[in-house]
Amino acid sequence: MLQPEDAKYLKRKIKSGSIDVHPTEKALIVNYELEAIILSDQGQPMVGDRKECQKIIRLHHLNENTDIEALAREVIKRCNLIHEGSIGEIEQLLYYLQKRKDSGVSSNRRKPAPNELQDPGIDSAEIDEISNLNDVEEYMSLLYEEIPEKIKSTALILQLARNPDNLEELIQNEPLLNSLSRVLREDWKQNTDLATNVIYIFFCFSSFREFHPIISHFKIGALTMQVVEYELVKYRQWRDELQKKKKKNADEFEKSKVKFEKLVRKQEQLLRVSFYMLLNIAEDVNVEIKMRNKQIITMLVGTLDRDNSELLILVISFLKKLSMYRENKDDMVRLNIVDKMARLFTMRNEDLLNITLRLLLNLSFEPKLRIRMVQQGFIQKLVPLLDKEQQRYYALCLLYHMSMEDKCKPLFAKSGAIPVLMKQLLTSGDDKIELELIGLCINIVLDETCATLICGKGGLKTLMRKAMKKRNPFMMKMIRNIATHDKLKANFVDYVPDLADAILRVDDNEDFVLECIGLLASVAEKDLDWALLFNEYGLTAWLQQQLSKESETADDLLLECIMLVGTACTDAPCAAAIANEGFVQLLLEILNAKQEDDEILLQTIYVFYQMVLHETTRQMILQQTQVPAYLIDLINDKNVEVKKLCDQTLAIVGETDPKWAKKIVQERFKWHNSQWLDMIKAHPDNDMINGEFDEDGALHFQDANVWDQSDAFAADMEYGFDEMDPSMASEYPGYEYRSDDRPRLTSDGQDLDEYGMPSMRGRHGGGGYD
């Protein structure tokens, strides 16, 4: 039996097959069968393998004036897979390609998706001669000749490299790669076509990640960046010279302009294939960092003033990839990228527009860039895209980001966006509304002008009808934001019964109920009979249940319920009914349990504020509850809004009850006294507070400024009864504040203060009052 070590000879047999035309390109496809047999010393076959192969012969310059017979002979001469007897068949196929409509490479190439890039398709690589893989050694020898021979050689090698089947064999030819890298390193300044061909060859390798280490080994990336930097400088010089000639001589300017445009076309081919190759090898993050250090972002942004759509698509795609990192975004901000991208909206190219929107979306996460986009008029540019299916999603996302800035919201009213957004919102199907669309609407209605436009022509009625029918919490949130504007509150009075009914009857959609409660709480109309509403719909019992400890109501729903109670207490009869039903005690329990939640605390105090405004409930609060004592303990809270509201509430208490007024002044004195003592303990060696006792025991301070300090304390201790405007209710529903350094109350069995209530002094972190 033959052993593997006996195999010493390899026999290859090639069997020609059929010949056909390429379906999309000007090319012939030659099918053949390759059979490889390993023979022993005795010539006996040991191992064999058979493979079906194809060879593509591209005919770039085939046109209606081409001599078909001459071209057929040239094809047979160059391709040893085609027998001379097949010349008639070749002529017929070439004639078919010649007459086939739109048979050009560019017109038949598959149009890429918006997130894809086209093959560079560089014209300078196209020559009449057809390359052959067996002639690589001959092409290499031409690389040592003059520039014209080098251009021809690199063009022929490029033909081979554009066929992926040849790449593996070419990449294993190290002398070839050495020669190509040498030509690029030494001669790239000599000729643009030569540099384009060589970089294009390496671009073909860069399309496959397995070949990236080879490209890195020969430092092609660094060489390519040198080429790009040089070409950009050269372009600016050409442009400056052209401008000078324009001022001097009109005739000479026209001639120079033609030459300039020709040079720019060639240069843009080089830039395009260079950026494409760099984009491919930038898949490695380490390589991308090296590119950034070599100012790749400056080069890309500097190319945005070109008019070549294919080049711009590539540049924007590269920038989009780089924009994923904050450091790169900072560089783009410094280079004013947003200003340079504004002109791209006027270039009528769908692919360019799509990729531009995606880059802008990445950039719009930075507040500075969002504001700059608005300043450049991007809102007006994006609104027309809301009706275009391809760009609609990215346009919506961009507009949503811009609507997050309060300064930008009024511009939506002037941009014509409101009718478009309302149409899309109201005509959306039964399925879920797009979050980007409803989020944008929720934001812009916070501007009064936008909200007024939306409510006009029956808009509010249609919104309410759809929100109630679909029980959509996002639409109800939008309507709730509209109700924050005082001028529009009266429009919601007619919907109060529907809201009350929805609160009680909808059990399976807590988010929707929460927004209904918030909307009802926003309708603070003086003419609304809250007592009648609570009695008719049984809201009193429902709210009691939600505020009780046993219900364990979620904090967000609990907050909305307290806000609704606060709004209802603006009506004196309703406030009296609520107080008589034990709501005050429930709220005090919530005040103890949720003292770390400033929003709940603030809204609870607002309920007490509304109650002390009315004579009937004020007396009950002062005589039957410990509410004033709780408020006194919060007058020095770290939260400014809580402190302010406590001051306003206690001002009313002090005006109507001398007993509580005295206690309030005493507590203020104790507070400031403790602060003074803490200051002395903290700075025992401070000259300001050092003094001496005389013979009579009187203390004399060394620095008279201390009296200024004491006067400041005394002035702060003076208690003024400033009245609070009831309209300030609108300030509190949206208030947010957090503090993590407050101690919580331990239990219901904690120490009681002098008023018989649990102490809340932990909230303001003061010293003892002893």
Side-chain angles (χ1 to χ4, degrees), residues 438 442 467 470-479 509-513 515:
I438 189 63
I442 288 172
K470 303 297 181 184
R471 294 183 179 179
N472 189 302
F474 296 108
M475 290 191 71
M476 192 57 70
K477 176 69 174 178
M478 174 185 172
I479 298 170
N509 194 334
E510 184 176 321
D511 291 335
F512 178 74
V513 172
E515 296 300 335

Side-chain angles (χ1 to χ4, degrees), residues 161 167 170-171 177 201-208 211-212 215:
L167 289 178
L170 291 175
I171 204 72
L177 299 178
I201 293 169
F202 284 103
F203 158 75
C204 296
F205 292 126
S206 72
S207 300
F208 298 90
F211 301 145
H212 287 185
I215 297 174

